[in-house]
Amino acid sequence: MKAWYAMLGIWMSAVIYEAFALPEIRGLVGHPIAYFHPPIAIVTFIAFLVAMIHGLRYLRWNDPIHDVKSSKAAEVGLLFCFLATVTGAMWSKANWGTFWSWDPKQTSIFVVLLIYAAYFSLRSSTPNPDRRHRLCAVYTVIGFISAVLLMFILPRIGFSLHPNDAMMGGGSDRPVRLLFWASVLGFSGVFAWMMELAVKLALMEMKIKEMSQ
Amino acid sequence: MTKSSLSGRKRNPSFWRSIGAIFGKDLASELRTRFAVNTLLLFSVTSLTIVSFSTARTPLTKEAQSALLWIVIFFSAMTGLARSFVREEESGTADALRLTAPAESVFLGKFAFNCVLLLCVEAVVVPLSLIFWAVSVDAPLFFTVVLFAGNIGLSAVATLMAAIVAQTSMQAGLFAVLSFPVLIPLLFTAVRATLLSMDAVRQVGEIAPVIRMLFVFDIVMLTLGFLLFDYIWRDRK
């Protein structure tokens, strides 16, 4: 397990080094953030998906461990979501001149932030644990489906400044694309690591509570 | 032949009948007190008056008109529909309902009732706002379809969230917080569609996609409610 963490550290350091070393992408100002902001935003959605899957598993098997996993995925996801919103606003200022313009992708990340916030206020206002697990699991499912619907709907009713092909598609050079996906992989690893730590901590807390009773 | 075997054999008709019974029960108790409908109507008329009074000197753009209309409808729904399950829990009738009716028919019955309540509100708010803001609706049929589709989606989400908040400790404040992010896809599309229906210059090709999106949202939320309502409604342990 330790070897994995070491590899993750080396991988992320390499990604960060390469992000600053690669030449600027055509037509994109503030280029190093291009290798951090979109991957963080992608991981935000992955975190949400993980939270929903564990929520569904809780509903199916009724085991509190799934609720712990679901809520910790949401907790770490909230951190990523916050980072994605802030880096996005910074990059937007550098590239388009304003911090916020209600571009479809900005809107959807903002909505995901709202859903996470609602999720945690629901969590904190349900004292009965069994009820809390159940209601929160249901809310992750509804929230995720709604966010997916939003991502399909927004580009059709709004306008977009986001350069969709600049990084992922064929419009970019090979090293840019490679580094981009390497960064996505690296940030997913960071997410998995943080979530594992959080789950371990929560399980220990549960055990201590049991022992002290 | 006992009563239980009778209802067990004809499962389908009794399912529809229980939806009708729950709808009828809510309607009867509402007609007796008129609590929800009064709150909804007064709230929506008040907010509409504030909006149109404070913007009386400046002509509103069509964008602002369609957005404000949906803001008024959304917040009216948030004030009036929260009570639908809280009332059952407070008066202790929720357990009786859990025993006598399947969860799915409770969801559909409550949904139907919330739909009707919201229709009453729209029947007052929409004509008033058209008069106050001097709106010219260019495509009345399209406008009505948008209102109906938005109504279905709003009531479906509100029914689900009302069932969730009824089991938490802070009910009224949480309802809007939980519903709003889930309703954003619907609200954005509905505002856009309302704008299209008011606008004289629009292409026919623009109408079909927004209507489709509204109905996709309605169907997805009703299906989710149908599948997940049992988990909200019943304690597992």
Side-chain angles (χ1 to χ4, degrees), chain B residues 152-192:
Chain B
I152 292 173
L154 250 177
S155 329
V157 173
T159 310
L160 270 177
M161 295 304 156
I164 288 182
V165 264
Q167 302 194 18
T168 64
S169 54
M170 42 175 283
Q171 292 149 346
L174 201 58
F175 186 53
V177 172
L178 288 183
S179 310
F180 178 60
V182 177
L183 278 171
I184 284 178
L186 177 83
L187 290 174
F188 280 9
T189 322
V191 169
R192 173 90 184 130

Side-chain angles (χ1 to χ4, degrees), chain A residues 56 58-60 62 64 102 107 110-111 114-115 117-119 121-122 124-128 130-131 134-135 138-139 141-143 145-147 149-150 152-154 156-158, chain B residues 89 98 160-161 163-164 166-170 174 177-186 188-189 192 209-210 213 216-217 220-221 224 228 230-237:
Chain A
L56 281 174
Y58 177 80
L59 292 181
R60 177 72 185 78
N62 243 329
W102 292 113
T107 313
F110 181 69
V111 171
L114 280 181
I115 294 179
Y119 174 82
S121 60
L122 174 64
S124 59
S125 59
T126 322
N128 178 334
D130 172 54
R131 246 181 208 183
R134 229 165 4 96
L135 298 181
V138 169
Y139 195 72
V141 179
I142 301 173
I145 301 282
S146 175
L149 275 178
L150 187 74
F152 277 105
I153 284 175
L154 276 175
R156 290 180 175 78
I157 61 169
Chain B
E89 297 282 349
R98 283 193 182 97
L160 270 177
M161 295 304 156
I164 288 182
Q167 302 194 18
T168 64
S169 54
M170 42 175 283
L174 201 58
V177 172
L178 288 183
S179 310
F180 178 60
V182 177
L183 278 171
I184 284 178
L186 177 83
F188 280 9
T189 322
R192 173 90 184 130
V210 280
M213 279 182 251
V216 163
F217 183 90
V220 167
M221 281 304 152
L224 270 183
L228 292 175
D230 191 46
Y231 293 108
I232 304 173
W233 183 234
R234 276 183 223 282
D235 278 320
R236 281 282 169 283
K237 284 168 191 164

Side-chain angles (χ1 to χ4, degrees), chain A residues 17-72:
Chain A
Y17 173 76
E18 268 301 301
F20 283 92
L22 270 187
E24 197 153 323
I25 310 159
R26 284 186 305 277
L28 275 181
V29 189
H31 78 113
I33 213 170
Y35 300 108
F36 304 127
H37 164 67
I40 289 175
I42 289 173
V43 172
T44 305
F45 279 94
I46 294 176
F48 212 158
L49 181 68
V50 171
M52 183 193 77
I53 290 169
H54 283 298
L56 281 174
R57 289 172 81 180
Y58 177 80
L59 292 181
R60 177 72 185 78
W61 283 292
N62 243 329
D63 186 353
I65 180 85
H66 295 306
D67 174 72
V68 171
K69 283 182 177 167
S70 172
S71 69
K72 293 303 159 188

Side-chain angles (χ1 to χ4, degrees), chain B residues 59-87:
Chain B
L60 292 173
T61 57
K62 285 188 190 302
E63 279 88 351
Q65 285 167 343
S66 49
L68 285 173
L69 177 65
W70 280 100
I71 289 171
V72 170
I73 293 175
F74 169 76
F75 279 106
S76 315
M78 289 302 104
T79 42
L81 304 187
R83 303 248 337 136
S84 51
F85 284 96
V86 175
R87 198 178 51 222

